[in-house]
Amino acid sequence: MPSTPRTVLLPLALVLLASGCQGYKTRGACDNDVDRLQGAIRDTTIYLDALRPELRAGFAELHDCDRISEDCDAETWLLRAQNMQRAHQDVRTRFARSVELWSPDACVPHLQNYTLNPPDPATWRGYFFTLDETGDQIDELVDRFGRRAG
């Protein structure tokens, strides 16, 4: 039985309509993405604030290790720095995942209606920079205490 244009076009139209609708997320999904990203920013801020004194203490201990007259507990600090390294990677991975799941292109209708309040991209990009910098500092502690402990 030959196909009529109507029987061919109807399934094609449904496919096109469905594919066009899949480009946008629901308001609830967009809200969840924004909440996840804001939560990741909050959690990362708390983590970084708690990490700063630990990094200062580690570099102060390195300074003491450089002085001959001071005792140096490099093995203990190496373990602490390695623990910092693992925790840092976990925080960075969770943060990156929340950014990855936020897709502003899929939430355009809600953004255009001002019904969402996502963080400015410059904000979360700045967190990546800070996480990279602190990761480098932790890596330096691991490296330098590793050379002293070995």
Side-chain angles (χ1 to χ4, degrees), residues 15 85 91 102 105 111 125:
V15 168
Q85 205 172 37
V91 168
W102 164 239
D105 292 342
L111 291 168
R125 286 184 192 120

Side-chain angles (χ1 to χ4, degrees), residues 82-94:
Q82 288 169 335
N83 286 334
M84 281 189 270
Q85 205 172 37
R86 283 187 290 278
H88 190 76
Q89 185 58 44
D90 289 343
V91 168
R92 192 178 195 299
T93 299
R94 281 194 310 272

Side-chain angles (χ1 to χ4, degrees), residues 48-107:
L48 290 169
D49 287 346
L51 181 64
R52 283 184 187 98
E54 187 77 4
L55 285 173
R56 278 193 300 273
F59 281 103
E61 182 68 19
L62 275 176
H63 179 72
D64 288 346
C65 287
D66 288 340
R67 297 170 48 196
I68 295 172
S69 63
E70 297 292 326
D71 288 332
C72 179
D73 195 2
E75 291 170 4
T76 299
W77 269 99
L78 175 59
L79 291 174
R80 285 174 75 174
Q82 288 169 335
N83 286 334
M84 281 189 270
Q85 205 172 37
R86 283 187 290 278
H88 190 76
Q89 185 58 44
D90 289 343
V91 168
R92 192 178 195 299
T93 299
R94 281 194 310 272
F95 187 81
R97 182 68 179 147
S98 70
V99 169
E100 179 182 306
L101 291 173
W102 164 239
S103 51
D105 292 342
C107 297

